[in-house]
Amino acid sequence: MKKIAISLICALVASTTLTSCLPDGEETELTSTVALLSFSINDLKTRHTITLANGKDSTYTTIMAARNIRFTIDQAQGLVYNSDSIAYATDVTRVILNIGADGYISYYKGDEKVGYSEEDSIDFTHPVKFTITSYDEKFSRDYLISINVHQVDPRTTSWRQLEDANFPAGLFAAPKALVKESLLYVLGTDGEGRGYTTTTALGDGVQWSSPVEWTGVPAGADVASAQLVGDAFYLVADGALYRSADAIAWTAVGNTQSVSTLLAVDNDTHTAWAMVEGTIASSTDMSAWQLGQQPKRAIKAGVASFSEPLRTNANISRTLFVATPEAESDTCAQVWSKLSTDSCWVEVVPQGTNIYGCPNLEHLAVIHYAGKMYAFGGKGLGNRQQPLEAFSACYESRDNGVTWRVRNNVLSLPEAFKGREEAFATATDGTYVWVMWSTGDVWRGRWNGL
């Protein structure tokens, strides 16, 4: 058993020495020194809930080796506690203790003070007051003992609306959010196609910069195509590619009059892909494009892309992009995949062969968060299976975009989102998921399992 750390911050109560005679004539010393010296707890039961492949929840119980939990004894404040909270749904209503003390031990059951026994099973749903009384019964010290347990389900996401956020309401018809260094950028166009950008610090979200109108790019730019490549922003307008360091002042990039939309970026290899002359073309400088394969189904616009090394081989990376299909009646969005060792892109599951494909939703958003991909958005398009109501579900993919199932064990959406059909922008900074609505409200969520 691990030794319990004891913080002897202040001196113990001064001791006195008394002498008494035992029946046999021997003398012994009684000390008034009083303190709680060690503290640990016996094994606890923890209830776990998992989501099965069929989407149903299953619950089981395990035994936690609670003797290994480290408790701090603060002698100065009279507090005993565990700094690292125990797992969510652990039962602390019947706890067996291991206590070492210099003195008699008692504790409170409600308002009643009772003597402590090693067999006692104590309810630590709330902190319990213990008293150590010196053997001569002249001195005593109180300790408030707490067993801290996580109070939020680690399978869900805690969301909070950032009150008083001054995000510009009504300005962005179809916003796009991107994270660069310590700032969150939101790009969008107004009703006349003029582009604007506003920013906030990742640690803030309440104070947003005044929207600044774009320069150097024609009205009607394809905001959905905006991507961060290296340290620069890129987007498409009138079939040409534009670059900007601050997402405000834009400059045309070379002779790129045939680029229709940006699809994917792999910043490790400094490679980007776009639709050029009907093909998935590649470029390493965002200027010269090498024509590639022609997809069997037309790609209307890119939605999101992700690139990361394989878990089995860090020298090989997989790049994915999600795109909206040309036909609004299609039930699924398109998901394409490519390994860095491959020459061609592969559509993960062709249209019509997978009822669990990425849903084709109005204002479809796809993010990569906590090691998985998530899709959510407005009402369902095409003949997508239920649910079709806007923001009624979040679709998770654990297999690199092959299947997307409704799950609520990581990215669970707040009830306040359900039924909303206005445009929004979303992004993740690795810790938080951000959602900025065109109506001006800003939300931030964090998975409790992080």
Side-chain angles (χ1 to χ4, degrees):
M1 180 182 71
K2 291 184 177 179
K3 298 296 183 182
I4 303 301
I6 303 177
S7 175
L8 292 173
I9 302 175
C10 67
L12 299 177
V13 176
S15 62
T16 63
T17 302
L18 301 176
T19 302
S20 65
C21 295
L22 299 177
D24 59 4
E26 292 183 2
E27 293 186 349
T28 184
E29 290 185 347
L30 295 179
T31 176
S32 61
T33 300
V34 54
L36 178 67
L37 301 177
S38 63
F39 182 86
S40 67
I41 61 179
N42 285 351
D43 294 346
L44 302 175
K45 293 181 179 180
T46 301
R47 188 178 67 256
H48 304 270
T49 301
I50 60 173
T51 302
L52 303 176
N54 60 9
K56 295 183 178 180
D57 287 344
S58 176
T59 301
Y60 64 96
T61 300
T62 61
I63 302 299
M64 175 190 297
R67 287 174 177 267
N68 297 326
I69 297 173
R70 185 182 179 88
F71 281 85
T72 297
I73 301 177
D74 186 339
Q75 300 288 359
Q77 301 295 324
L79 300 175
V80 180
Y81 57 91
N82 54 312
S83 298
D84 295 329
S85 296
I86 299 172
Y88 174 79
T90 296
D91 184 6
V92 292
T93 60
R94 296 179 294 276
V95 182
I96 304 296
L97 307 179
N98 306 297
I99 296 181
D102 191 356
Y104 300 116
I105 306 173
S106 58
Y107 67 99
Y108 285 82
K109 280 187 175 182
D111 295 328
E112 181 185 3
K113 186 177 182 181
V114 298
Y116 168 75
S117 169
E118 292 181 352
E119 289 82 27
D120 285 355
S121 178
I122 304 175
D123 184 357
F124 276 92
T125 304
H126 302 288
V128 178
K129 181 180 177 181
F130 276 68
T131 298
I132 312 299
T133 304
S134 62
Y135 293 119
D136 61 9
E137 299 185 351
K138 289 187 176 182
F139 300 95
S140 65
R141 298 190 68 189
D142 291 334
Y143 293 85
L144 191 64
I145 301 180
S146 304
I147 299 180
N148 298 317
V149 180
H150 279 294
Q151 298 301 307
V152 292
D153 188 346
R155 304 184 312 138
T156 61
T157 300
S158 296
W159 289 87
R160 182 169 70 95
Q161 182 178 359
L162 303 183
E163 300 293 342
D164 302 322
N166 63 342
F167 184 76
L171 178 61
F172 302 131
K176 177 73 175 281
L178 295 168
V179 173
K180 180 184 178 184
E181 298 174 348
S182 62
L183 293 179
L184 174 62
Y185 293 72
V186 176
L187 296 70
T189 55
D190 62 14
E192 298 181 3
R194 293 187 295 261
Y196 293 85
T197 295
T198 181
T199 65
T200 188
L202 292 177
D204 187 357
V206 175
Q207 297 299 321
W208 292 78
S209 64
S210 297
V212 180
E213 185 175 355
W214 296 347
T215 61
V217 63
D222 179 16
V223 179
S225 70
Q227 295 263 17
L228 186 64
V229 183
D231 60 354
F233 298 91
Y234 290 85
L235 57 70
V236 175
D238 287 344
L241 192 62
Y242 288 80
R243 181 185 186 279
S244 175
D246 58 5
I248 296 173
W250 299 86
T251 305
V253 179
N255 183 19
T256 56
Q257 293 297 320
S258 56
V259 176
S260 59
T261 187
L262 289 173
L263 297 175
V265 175
D266 181 354
N267 280 309
D268 288 336
T269 62
H270 307 287
T271 305
W273 291 267
M275 289 301 299
V276 179
E277 297 181 10
T279 72
I280 304 178
S282 63
S283 176
T284 56
D285 62 4
M286 304 300 291
S287 179
W289 293 88
Q290 181 179 353
L291 299 183
Q293 69 195 85
Q294 185 171 9
K296 294 182 179 179
R297 294 195 300 132
I299 297 175
K300 182 180 180 181
V303 174
S305 74
F306 315 101
S307 183
E308 61 182 358
L310 298 183
R311 295 180 180 178
T312 56
N313 189 340
N315 295 319
I316 300 175
S317 61
R318 173 186 284 109
T319 302
L320 292 164
F321 74 79
V322 181
T324 55
E326 189 173 45
E328 189 175 288
S329 60
D330 285 349
T331 61
C332 297
Q334 298 181 28
V335 181
W336 292 77
S337 175
K338 181 184 178 299
L339 296 179
S340 57
T341 53
D342 294 338
S343 59
C344 295
W345 287 86
V346 176
E347 187 174 2
V348 173
V349 180
Q351 173 75 3
T353 63
N354 181 13
I355 63 172
Y356 294 109
C358 183
N360 186 18
L361 304 175
E362 190 172 49
H363 307 307
L364 173 64
V366 180
I367 62 172
H368 191 277
Y369 183 63
K372 303 178 183 67
M373 296 170 64
Y374 295 91
F376 53 90
K379 64 181 180 180
L381 303 175
N383 299 314
R384 179 72 185 179
Q385 71 268 25
Q386 295 292 334
L388 296 178
E389 183 185 8
F391 287 93
S392 56
C394 184
Y395 297 82
E396 178 190 83
S397 178
R398 302 179 179 180
D399 51 13
N400 301 310
V402 177
T403 59
W404 301 74
R405 299 177 184 271
V406 177
R407 301 184 192 274
N408 291 311
N409 58 329
V410 174
L411 188 61
S412 50
L413 299 176
E415 284 295 318
F417 286 13
K418 187 171 291 186
R420 298 188 67 165
E421 297 185 357
E422 58 265 35
F424 67 97
T426 186
T428 174
D429 58 21
T431 300
Y432 291 99
V433 176
W434 296 78
V435 176
M436 286 68 60
W437 297 88
S438 59
T439 51
D441 49 321
V442 177
W443 289 72
R444 189 171 65 184
R446 182 182 185 275
W447 178 45
N448 298 322
L450 286 179

